[in-house]
Amino acid sequence: MKVPAANSIKDDDPTGTYHHPTDVTAGQWTVSPSERPHLYRIRHRRANGEQHIDTVVDYDNLKAKLLKWDREGFVRREHAGPDEKPIHRSTFMRDLLESAGQTPGERDGSLAGTRVGNVAMPHGNGGPFVPAVNRAYLFAPRFDNVLRDIVENRRILLIGHTGSGKTSLIEQVAAHTNQGVLRSNMNGQTTVGDFVGFWTVKGGETLWVDGVLPTAMREGLWLIVDEVDFAEPAILAVLTAVLEPGGRLLLKEKGNEIVAPHPSFRLFATANAVGSMGQYRHLYQGANVMNEAFLDRWRVYRIDYLSRDEEAQVLLRTFGRRVSVQMAQTLAAIAADCREAFMREDLASAFSTRRLLDWTELMLRTGDPEVAAGPTIYSKVGAEDVALIRSIIQHHIDPHG
Ligand SMILES: Nc1ncnc2c1ncn2[C@@H]1O[C@H](COP(=O)(O)OP(=O)(O)O)[C@@H](O)[C@H]1O
Ligand SMILES: [Mg+2]
């Protein structure tokens, strides 16, 4: 809040900081109550931070100063000093909480649809690309904001370690809302042609084939661009064009045809090592750095592995009574220890919930954790990892117990 200095005379309270909005060399004046009644302390701090005036004046003297500062162009920035309380500090949270959680649709209940987690979501249009519901899937409350962002048609980038549940979160929301999803993995052979489309000859005729992006945009499907940090620059350039809500796609190759997004179209991306995951970049060889301008076009959510308790719950929901509570807790603890070893770089391979479920399933058939670990864990990792994982397992499960 900026007030001309002279106005402070009319105020009962002339205290505050007076600065010059255009002259950066002018420094700033601070007026604060003095220890003695009816007197004011005046300080001037130069632009370089040096304080060279610190004096006590009476009200008449202060009034003269305020008029002088006003003539010079100083304005009062109330309560801006370091030792003064910011304005509205106490009321900010009260005001915020009054407005928060009043997203249109939630307040008036006009959003007809399905409840996923704690969020009301619109129905999708069905079709062959609706993923299967995973009955064991757990919508943790921390995912609620991702779900709300889907309703609001925001661009969502999910970052986190491999196997932490990025892809399955979007797929399971789609499964529960009867919404079709396409996936395109950038860490592989996906070309601009696959992504955008290409011309081909069929029966002597030249035909245009839409890539996954225009297909999803036209049909109102969701598109998950997996491992976007491995995408080639040409694909990123195309992606950037449709990142604005309502953003259209220009098919240059198809005579500049414009593809407008269907209202149900949503765009998601996943990545392992961008943004706050950058500290783990060494674990994901070959990932590109995403620049801030690109990241700022997304809501970037970090998806961590399920907690031990959550993972134990998932095991119980997946296998029912075939797995006891104790077994579930032990298995979840093994997975957690392996992940810690991975983050310490003692293990080269990540330990996903998928791997844990697969191991458990085979263990229930063979009755032997070690045998079951062969095809589900050991055969997939290097010899050093086998040794460490085996010792972690034996630490939790006594083979002769
Ligand atoms: N919240 C969850 N509830 C139940 N299972 C989960 C959950 N999150 C992840 N999983 C399991 O972990 C597996 C790996 O998750 P995925 O989404 O493929 O990981 P990412 O895409 O991060 O690599 C899923 O197939 C699923 O079985
Ligand atoms: Mg994935």
Side-chain angles (χ1 to χ4, degrees):
M1 186 189 288
K2 287 175 183 169
V3 187
N7 276 6
S8 313
I9 305 168
K10 296 172 217 133
D11 287 5
D12 340 348
D13 182 12
T15 61
T17 306
Y18 296 78
H19 75 122
H20 203 292
T22 51
D23 181 0
V24 292
T25 64
Q28 69 174 28
W29 291 95
T30 305
V31 177
S32 52
S34 149
E35 276 148 35
R36 288 162 55 200
H38 313 302
L39 296 183
Y40 294 89
R41 183 175 174 199
I42 297 181
R43 285 169 290 170
H44 185 251
R45 196 180 286 280
R46 290 196 169 114
N48 64 7
E50 174 203 356
Q51 184 172 295
H52 67 118
I53 297 174
D54 188 351
T55 178
V56 172
V57 297
D58 64 15
Y59 186 68
D60 285 341
N61 209 325
L62 174 66
K63 217 158 73 176
K65 292 274 187 224
L66 292 171
L67 285 168
K68 178 169 174 284
W69 296 342
D70 195 34
R71 280 197 305 277
E72 291 170 355
F74 280 85
V75 290
R76 178 161 64 151
R77 184 169 46 196
E78 283 169 290
H79 308 295
D83 38 347
E84 290 159 78
K85 254 209 203 148
I87 39 168
H88 306 320
R89 182 177 191 274
S90 58
T91 55
F92 187 95
M93 286 311 294
R94 191 196 63 206
D95 291 354
L96 175 63
L97 292 176
E98 258 172 36
S99 310
Q102 302 208 349
T103 316
E106 265 174 58
R107 191 180 29 207
D108 58 27
S110 68
L111 244 178
T114 318
R115 264 200 116 63
V116 181
N118 296 310
V119 180
M121 307 213 45
H123 288 298
N125 304 318
F129 297 109
V130 179
V133 170
N134 171 0
R135 297 263 159 238
Y137 191 84
L138 189 84
F139 287 101
R142 61 178 175 280
F143 299 151
D144 282 356
N145 274 319
V146 178
L147 308 192
R148 294 202 176 94
D149 278 357
I150 297 176
V151 178
E152 288 180 13
N153 197 2
R154 310 232 176 226
R155 304 310 185 213
I156 298 166
L157 170 57
L158 302 175
I159 59 172
H161 286 298
T162 161
S164 63
K166 302 178 293 297
T167 309
S168 53
L169 172 57
I170 304 307
E171 285 186 339
Q172 286 309 304
V173 177
H176 281 85
T177 55
N178 201 29
Q179 168 65 46
V181 188
L182 298 180
R183 268 171 76 175
S184 183
N185 197 314
M186 296 296 125
N187 190 5
Q189 280 84 48
T190 307
T191 62
V192 187
D194 301 328
F195 199 65
V196 178
F198 54 89
W199 289 103
T200 185
V201 180
K202 211 172 184 180
E205 241 185 301
T206 315
L207 293 173
W208 171 263
V209 180
D210 268 342
V212 281
L213 179 60
T215 301
M217 290 177 76
R218 289 191 221 267
E219 312 278 321
L221 298 168
W222 293 1
L223 175 61
I224 306 175
V225 181
D226 258 327
E227 307 195 56
V228 71
D229 43 348
F230 285 85
E232 52 179 290
I235 290 183
L236 288 182
V238 173
L239 208 51
T240 304
V242 297
L243 282 178
E244 300 299 326
R248 290 148 186 265
L249 172 66
L250 181 72
L251 293 176
K252 290 201 199 89
E253 299 81 352
K254 203 186 172 194
N256 285 338
E257 183 181 310
I258 290 170
V259 182
H262 183 288
S264 301
F265 168 69
R266 295 288 185 277
L267 184 61
F268 305 89
T270 74
N272 297 126
V274 313
S276 66
M277 286 291 292
Q279 56 175 313
Y280 301 109
R281 174 162 297 281
H282 54 279
L283 301 175
Y284 300 99
Q285 297 292 321
N288 298 309
V289 180
M290 307 267 90
N291 67 41
E292 273 184 41
F294 184 78
L295 289 182
D296 273 344
R297 293 165 187 270
W298 306 82
R299 287 262 168 96
V300 182
Y301 287 95
R302 172 117 170 221
I303 306 292
D304 288 318
Y305 289 115
L306 296 175
S307 69
R308 272 177 208 217
D309 282 348
E310 288 168 341
E311 205 153 37
Q313 269 186 57
V314 169
L315 283 162
L316 293 169
R317 289 161 69 144
T318 306
F319 299 104
R321 270 190 261 152
R322 299 169 68 205
V323 167
S324 70
V325 173
Q326 314 270 326
M327 276 174 73
Q329 280 167 352
T330 298
L331 292 168
I334 292 171
D337 281 0
C338 288
R339 284 167 198 158
E340 270 162 37
F342 172 68
M343 286 175 221
R344 280 197 313 268
E345 278 186 86
D346 289 346
L347 273 182
S349 52
F351 205 100
S352 66
T353 304
R354 186 185 292 117
R355 182 172 284 185
L356 181 65
L357 293 171
D358 198 28
W359 176 40
T360 308
E361 193 170 342
L362 192 54
M363 185 185 317
L364 288 171
R365 191 209 292 167
T366 60
D368 186 332
E370 183 65 19
V371 170
T376 57
I377 306 173
Y378 297 155
S379 308
K380 302 176 184 179
V381 303
E384 282 180 31
D385 278 12
V386 171
L388 182 53
I389 296 171
R390 181 176 282 132
S391 76
I392 291 172
I393 293 173
Q394 284 174 357
H395 174 75
H396 289 274
I397 303 174
D398 178 357
H400 312 291

